[in-house]
Amino acid sequence: MRDSEHYLQDACEVYAVALLQRHAQKLKIAATSDADTKESAFWAYLSARNMGKADLEIEPGLTYISNLERHIPAFVQAVAETWPDARVDFIDVEAEFRNKKMRGDFMIKGSPIGDLAVSLKNYRNGARRPQVCSGTFNSFVLNFLFASTGVGTFQLPSSNTTFRGSNVKDRDAAIKVLGMAAILPAIHRLDELNQEIRSKFIDGDEFEFFAEDAFKESCGLVGNEGASLAKEILDGLPQALLKTRLLTMTGFDGEDEILLIEPDTYTDTLTNPVFRNLRKQLQDKETIVQVVRRGQGIGIDFTRGADSLLTAHVPFTINKNGAWISGEHYDGVRLHRKEGIELAYGQRRPKKSRELATSVNTYLDLQPTGIFD
């Protein structure tokens, strides 16, 4: 994702709070009449990044802003109908919560609702199959074993001791403390897979220029082996640990409420009983989690008796991370400002290519759950 789109996403989260407050005022459920102040914060955010109204009239900003203006009024109306005597304010907490490693983009504060954190997911291309987390093969596995205290940093249970996942010695020692030394051979093989692709595509001259067929072949080989290793590790974990981590990963652990918005519709855990019931069932002690090999990755199935409640798909592959010059084709060479040298189209970027790594993304299949009906 380009920086400009990331800024627009963040800006629209600020705008969402202003819009929520404005419609709360219109419906006379707002405790404070400060929608104008909150909207000013939105325009200030854009201005500070050399952006403005024109960026909201073209894609991707147009869809992000249109989604909010189309569905936020209906959401606030649903809140008002659910709590007719409500007196609430909507507060932007995204930056504050992110610094505290907490989820939630805005808070609903007031009576009789209390203080509720809400994660806002605003999708340009639909919310039926959202991506809920990403990382490397190793970080995917480590997140099941340890609490994350930051990008690539983990904490031992019942301890203030932290370690970097990239520090093999400290990581292995932490896994031994858990009594899980048996998984270390599989962990070490995941290490090797990452190093092998880096040696192949970054360190030698063979792939100075991007070779699509060779890269695609490696994605398949590395992805399939990584997925088998990950399943082997997860199969050895206690069901309670596996389920707790997956509820957190998918956002269904109840830490915050969820508001999903897409061009066609929206759904939320506050006012939609089907969505609330889905989350309740996923957390139920009778619900179990099954991990299976599926395609070039693994599948995660939440089941309760004979009922399938939710399915997640986790493809395993390699992330180029912009290692080679792409985009619009050009002839000859051009100066690349960030790299500080002239590069041809398709040529490897000396600095950026160091970020090439194994990659997983986790996608939820929400369409069959009925929360959009």
Side-chain angles (χ1 to χ4, degrees):
M1 180 186 296
R2 299 186 180 212
D3 287 345
S4 59
E5 182 167 359
H6 180 76
Y7 292 149
L8 284 167
Q9 283 185 329
D10 286 350
C12 285
E13 289 172 359
V14 178
Y15 182 64
V17 173
L19 204 57
L20 287 160
Q21 192 71 27
R22 189 167 304 285
H23 284 279
Q25 290 173 200
K26 287 182 179 180
L27 295 175
K28 302 188 184 306
I29 64 168
T32 308
S33 297
D34 61 352
D36 287 345
T37 300
K38 288 170 178 173
E39 185 168 339
S40 294
F42 160 67
W43 293 113
Y45 183 96
L46 286 177
S47 178
R49 289 154 184 81
N50 297 314
M51 305 175 82
K53 185 178 180 181
D55 296 285
L56 306 175
E57 296 172 344
I58 58 173
E59 295 298 350
L62 178 60
T63 298
Y64 285 132
I65 207 80
S66 298
N67 284 355
L68 297 175
E69 292 179 340
R70 183 177 299 119
H71 300 302
I72 287 293
F75 170 69
V76 179
Q77 179 70 44
V79 170
E81 292 174 357
T82 305
W83 293 279
D85 299 325
R87 289 296 178 270
V88 297
D89 286 325
F90 296 90
I91 312 296
D92 178 16
V93 295
E94 192 272 338
E96 174 190 345
F97 275 32
R98 182 172 54 193
N99 290 335
K100 294 179 179 178
K101 311 303 177 188
M102 296 168 61
R103 293 200 307 265
D105 298 298
F106 65 88
M107 290 282 294
I108 304 178
K109 288 179 171 284
S111 62
I113 300 176
D115 291 353
L116 296 177
V118 182
S119 285
L120 170 63
K121 307 298 183 184
N122 184 1
Y123 294 98
R124 279 203 303 138
N125 299 313
R128 313 302 168 105
R129 194 173 185 267
Q131 178 183 323
V132 293
C133 66
S134 61
T136 64
F137 294 178
N138 295 71
S139 69
F140 175 76
V141 170
L142 290 177
N143 271 311
F144 283 91
L145 306 177
F146 306 99
S148 175
T149 59
V151 179
T153 306
F154 303 91
Q155 183 175 358
L156 277 169
S158 304
S159 168
N160 291 324
T161 302
T162 61
F163 64 92
R164 295 285 299 171
S166 57
N167 187 316
V168 174
K169 180 180 178 180
D170 289 350
R171 179 204 63 193
D172 288 1
I175 290 173
K176 290 177 182 177
V177 168
L178 295 181
M180 296 184 178
I183 70 172
L184 284 175
I187 293 285
H188 292 160
R189 179 55 189 153
L190 292 178
D191 293 338
E192 291 170 359
L193 285 176
N194 195 55
Q195 186 53 52
E196 286 171 7
I197 63 168
R198 291 173 62 81
S199 296
K200 178 176 182 177
F201 290 109
I202 300 175
D203 297 336
D205 296 331
E206 183 179 359
F207 295 101
E208 175 68 21
F209 286 84
F210 183 62
E212 184 173 358
D213 290 344
F215 188 80
K216 185 176 181 179
E217 180 183 15
S218 289
C219 286
L221 293 172
V222 171
N224 278 303
E225 185 175 356
S228 295
L229 289 165
K231 182 182 183 303
E232 174 188 329
I233 294 168
L234 298 187
D235 283 345
L237 300 183
Q239 174 69 200
L241 178 63
L242 195 63
K243 182 178 175 181
T244 297
R245 167 56 188 155
L246 287 167
L247 286 173
T248 300
M249 179 191 299
T250 56
F252 288 110
D253 55 1
E255 179 182 313
D256 53 4
E257 302 298 329
I258 304 169
L259 172 58
L260 297 180
I261 296 178
E262 63 174 16
D264 291 337
T265 189
Y266 82 94
T267 185
D268 68 274
T269 53
L270 269 170
T271 68
N272 184 330
V274 176
F275 204 168
R276 289 186 68 83
N277 188 56
L278 172 64
R279 183 173 64 181
K280 181 179 179 181
Q281 287 187 310
L282 291 171
Q283 295 174 0
D284 190 278
K285 63 181 180 179
E286 299 299 324
T287 296
I288 64 171
V289 172
Q290 297 174 306
V291 179
V292 298
R293 280 284 277 115
R294 187 171 288 146
Q296 189 182 302
I298 61 175
I300 299 167
D301 300 325
F302 288 85
T303 60
R304 190 170 182 268
D307 296 328
S308 175
L309 301 178
L310 180 68
T311 297
H313 303 275
V314 189
F316 281 59
T317 186
I318 304 171
N319 189 346
K320 294 196 296 288
N321 273 320
W324 291 271
I325 299 292
S326 60
E328 186 177 350
H329 185 273
Y330 60 87
D331 296 324
V333 296
R334 291 181 182 177
L335 176 65
H336 195 289
R337 293 181 180 178
K338 291 185 177 180
E339 296 291 339
I341 59 173
E342 291 185 332
L343 294 169
Y345 182 82
Q347 191 170 4
R348 188 169 58 205
R349 296 173 57 182
K351 297 176 183 177
K352 186 66 175 177
S353 63
R354 307 310 301 178
E355 298 176 17
L356 182 143
T358 59
S359 173
V360 298
N361 292 289
T362 303
Y363 300 93
L364 299 184
D365 188 5
L366 295 179
Q367 178 61 38
T369 65
I371 65 173
F372 295 98
D373 295 344

